[in-house]
């Protein structure tokens, strides 16, 4: 026996009755929901803004620090080039002598320009006296500071400097890329001091003996000319310090720009 089909209108009526009615949200729930959505949106916008600000500020600051170093470096070279050098004679032939060593400059004074080709073909920073955070490391015209109780470029002992790894221009964010044998150039008004990278060390922030005249041996009399670079590690944290040790290789007058960085110095 065939069961008669249910009339269409009855089926539609049954489906409607089977649906559960949706409960309307009260004014409190609606308000809380709107506030929650606004907070999420605000959080996303703040995160994007902070990320953009950090990236953009570092980019701008790095460019300003590079430009300041370029200006100072080129000025010294131009001044030296404008002064004719004496024609070499038997009495003026170069002899093996100790490199010139300048006196300790005044606090915050810019006295050198640092070139590290491994960090980029145009990487350069001005070195100022002291490692004051606000006036030196965060400066728009510096980025690298000299520990005032350490030696000067070319001097027997340890010429020690510091800079941020991240933030305020990301000065030494790529310092860990150094390879044994890489050249590091320090320019002063007297000329070019060339150092060669030797090795890294990772230490706690309290281990200040790394900037002693003989690193880690403050009571030992120095006989070598060293350079030590310190920065925070890992990037964007300050849990430890990355130390780069370098040994002195040689000195040349200001007008004798090292070929490896000639383009970076002369701007071409």
């Amino acid at each position: 026996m065939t069961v008669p089909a249910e009339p269409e209108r009855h089926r539609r009526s049954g489906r409607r009755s089977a649906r559960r009615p949706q409960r309307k949200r009260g004014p409190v729930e609606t308000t809380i929901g709107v506030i929650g959505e606004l907070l999420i949106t605000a959080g996303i916008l703040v995160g994007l803004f902070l990320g953009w600000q950090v990236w953009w500020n570092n980019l701008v600051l790095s460019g300003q620090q590079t430009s300041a170093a370029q200006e100072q470096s080129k000025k010294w070279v131009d001044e030296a080039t404008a002064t004719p050098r004496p024609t070499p004679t038997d009495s003026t032939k170069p002899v093996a002598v100790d490199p010139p060593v300048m006196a300790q400059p005044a606090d915050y004074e810019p006295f050198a320009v640092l070139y590290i080709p491994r960090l980029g073909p145009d990487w350069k920073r001005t070195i100022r006296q002291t490692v004051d955070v606000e006036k030196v490391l965060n400066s728009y015209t510096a980025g690298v500071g000299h520990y005032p109780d350490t030696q000067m470029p070319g001097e027997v002992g340890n010429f020690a400097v510091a800079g941020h790894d991240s933030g305020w221009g990301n000065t030494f964010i790529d310092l860990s890329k150094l390879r044994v044998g890489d050249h590091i150039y320090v320019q002063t008004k007297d000329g070019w001091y060339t150092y060669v990278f030797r090795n890294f060390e990772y230490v706690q922030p309290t281990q200040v003996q790394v900037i002693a005249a003989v690193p880690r041996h403050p009571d030992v009399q120095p006989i070598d000319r060293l350079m030590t670079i310190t920065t925070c590690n890992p990037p964007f944290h300050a849990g430890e310090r990355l130390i780069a040790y370098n040994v002195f290789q040689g000195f040349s007058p200001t007008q004798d720009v090292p070929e490896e960085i000639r383009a970076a110095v002369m701007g071409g």
Side-chain angles (χ1 to χ4, degrees), residues 114-141:
L114 176 64
Y115 287 84
I116 306 180
R118 176 66 70 178
L119 303 188
D122 196 44
W123 192 98
K124 59 182 80 73
R125 290 292 190 279
T126 301
I127 304 175
R128 284 187 176 183
Q129 182 73 337
T130 84
V131 291
D132 182 275
V133 174
E134 295 301 325
K135 295 182 179 180
V136 178
L137 304 189
N138 292 358
S139 169
Y140 285 83
T141 56

Side-chain angles (χ1 to χ4, degrees), residues 68-78 113 115 124 187 192 254 265:
Q70 173 78 46
E71 182 178 348
Q72 178 63 80
S73 183
K74 187 69 162 48
K75 179 176 181 289
W76 282 332
V77 172
D78 289 344
V113 176
Y115 287 84
K124 59 182 80 73
Q187 180 196 22
W192 300 93
T254 305
V265 174

Side-chain angles (χ1 to χ4, degrees), residues 17-221:
S17 63
R19 294 174 182 170
R20 296 180 61 183
Q22 294 184 352
R23 183 173 63 87
K24 291 185 178 180
R25 298 171 63 182
V28 175
E29 290 178 298
T30 300
T31 301
I32 292 175
V34 171
I35 292 175
E37 292 176 358
L38 290 175
L39 289 174
I40 292 173
T41 302
I44 293 173
L45 291 176
V46 169
L48 291 174
F49 173 75
L50 290 176
W52 173 84
Q53 187 179 47
V54 170
W55 174 82
W56 179 253
N57 280 349
N58 280 330
L59 187 64
V60 171
L61 190 57
S62 177
Q64 291 176 326
Q65 291 172 343
T66 298
S67 296
Q70 173 78 46
E71 182 178 348
Q72 178 63 80
S73 183
K74 187 69 162 48
K75 179 176 181 289
W76 282 332
V77 172
D78 289 344
E79 289 174 351
T81 304
T83 304
R85 285 186 287 181
T87 303
T89 64
D90 289 340
S91 61
T92 60
K93 287 182 179 178
V95 294
V97 296
D98 292 337
V101 176
M102 66 184 299
Q104 289 273 348
D107 287 355
Y108 321 125
E109 179 183 345
F111 67 90
V113 176
L114 176 64
Y115 287 84
I116 306 180
R118 176 66 70 178
L119 303 188
D122 196 44
W123 192 98
K124 59 182 80 73
R125 290 292 190 279
T126 301
I127 304 175
R128 284 187 176 183
Q129 182 73 337
T130 84
V131 291
D132 182 275
V133 174
E134 295 301 325
K135 295 182 179 180
V136 178
L137 304 189
N138 292 358
S139 169
Y140 285 83
T141 56
V144 177
H146 171 241
Y147 290 96
D149 293 330
T150 69
Q151 282 65 50
M152 296 301 291
E155 186 175 4
V156 173
N158 190 9
F159 171 57
V161 300
H164 290 307
D165 66 323
S166 50
W168 294 96
N170 291 346
T171 300
F172 289 135
I173 196 168
D174 291 327
L175 189 66
S176 62
K177 294 181 179 179
L178 282 175
R179 298 295 179 265
V180 174
D182 281 348
H183 287 145
I184 293 174
Y185 302 95
V186 178
Q187 180 196 22
T188 71
K189 61 182 179 58
D190 296 320
W192 300 93
Y193 301 81
T194 301
Y195 291 84
V196 177
F197 172 67
R198 185 176 66 186
N199 66 287
F200 287 122
E201 185 177 15
Y202 296 86
V203 303
Q204 293 300 308
T206 56
Q207 293 177 270
V208 297
Q209 305 95 327
V210 296
I211 63 171
V214 178
R216 286 193 168 279
H217 301 282
D219 298 326
V220 176
Q221 188 68 24

